[in-house]
Amino acid sequence: MRVVMSREVLISAHSVAVAASRDGVTPVISQIAFERQGEQLAVLATDRYWAVIARYDSIEFFDWEDGHQVLVDPKLMKPVVDILKKDRSGAVATLAGEGESVVWLDGNGTSAKVSVDTIRSKFPPIARLFPERVSCHGTARLVLDVDMLAKVSKIITPLSAKKKMDGNRWEFFFQSEERPNRAEPILVVRSEEACEIQCIIMPVLMTGAK
């Protein structure tokens, strides 16, 4: 069971970990989840207060069943990501699950291998939290904590990883017309060719309270 992705996709996927929990009491959400969703690779992270899902196209799957997940500790991914960030030789990354999971990359003289401790628990089904964007309507007022905006800005798209482009151009969708007086989660979206990243921020974090 393995999946092959470009260096830019792995760099982007690792950046999703900004939403992962730092609480050791709930180790399953201190990981990021790699999941096959049809022909897309989905990467999910949450700390219970906000959640991120990134979906990538142009991914090669080998013996990876639709819906199957692999949980990976982002701290153990970092050495591979750091090498890839410096590489310009066309290296690719492979995430494999064969007994113990292994993350490795290999390409044109650059190689690294990191054993990954997986947790045998199911990642929470956070994808169902995300509303359809057509049902979200903007209002004239948005209150959002600047620390949360700073976290969102750390999420990198593959195109940003490739060209070092500005990664802070996001669309905000918030507050439904049906319940205008009720605090609703904010949906933050960035779309580009072969990738869409969505963040959902719960009302408790809109003003910095936690």
Side-chain angles (χ1 to χ4, degrees), residues 42 46 95 102 112 121 126-127 136 140 171:
T46 185
L95 173 66
V102 173
S121 299
I126 63 172
C136 299
E171 293 181 88

Side-chain angles (χ1 to χ4, degrees), residues 13-32:
H14 184 255
S15 74
V16 169
V18 69
S21 175
R22 271 62 173 174
D23 182 358
V25 178
T26 52
V28 68
I29 59 173
S30 68
Q31 314 286 294
I32 55 178

Side-chain angles (χ1 to χ4, degrees), residues 49-95:
Y49 298 99
W50 72 303
V52 177
I53 182 169
R55 293 186 176 94
Y56 305 97
D57 297 318
S58 303
I59 302 295
E60 293 183 83
F61 294 98
F62 301 89
D63 299 320
W64 189 314
E65 294 183 3
D66 191 21
H68 186 77
Q69 287 184 347
V70 171
L71 304 186
V72 182
D73 186 335
K75 296 188 294 295
L76 297 178
M77 288 178 62
K78 191 175 185 302
V80 176
V81 173
D82 287 344
I83 290 173
L84 276 176
K85 284 181 177 179
K86 299 175 183 178
D87 183 86
R88 293 293 183 271
S89 64
V92 296
T94 300
L95 173 66

Side-chain angles (χ1 to χ4, degrees), residues 113-176:
K113 186 173 183 178
V114 178
S115 295
V116 176
D117 298 318
T118 60
I119 296 177
R120 305 298 179 184
S121 299
K122 189 72 173 177
F123 200 78
I126 63 172
R128 67 180 61 171
L129 296 174
F130 290 84
E132 294 291 335
R133 277 180 285 163
V134 294
S135 67
C136 299
H137 304 277
T139 65
R141 184 171 179 268
L142 171 63
V143 179
L144 187 63
D145 182 60
V146 292
D147 290 337
M148 180 53 59
L149 285 173
K151 288 183 178 181
V152 171
S153 72
K154 292 179 180 179
I155 299 173
I156 302 167
T157 66
L159 190 59
S160 296
K162 184 175 183 178
K163 298 184 177 181
K164 295 185 178 180
M165 297 173 62
D166 178 12
N168 298 328
R169 297 174 182 173
W170 297 82
E171 293 181 88
F172 288 77
F173 301 86
F174 56 103
Q175 194 156 318
S176 66

Side-chain angles (χ1 to χ4, degrees), residues 4-11 80-81 83-94 104-112:
V4 179
M5 66 199 90
S6 68
R7 62 177 290 278
E8 291 84 13
V9 167
L10 186 67
I11 292 169
V80 176
V81 173
I83 290 173
L84 276 176
K85 284 181 177 179
K86 299 175 183 178
D87 183 86
R88 293 293 183 271
S89 64
V92 296
T94 300
W104 74 87
L105 64 95
D106 186 15
N108 295 342
T110 301
S111 62

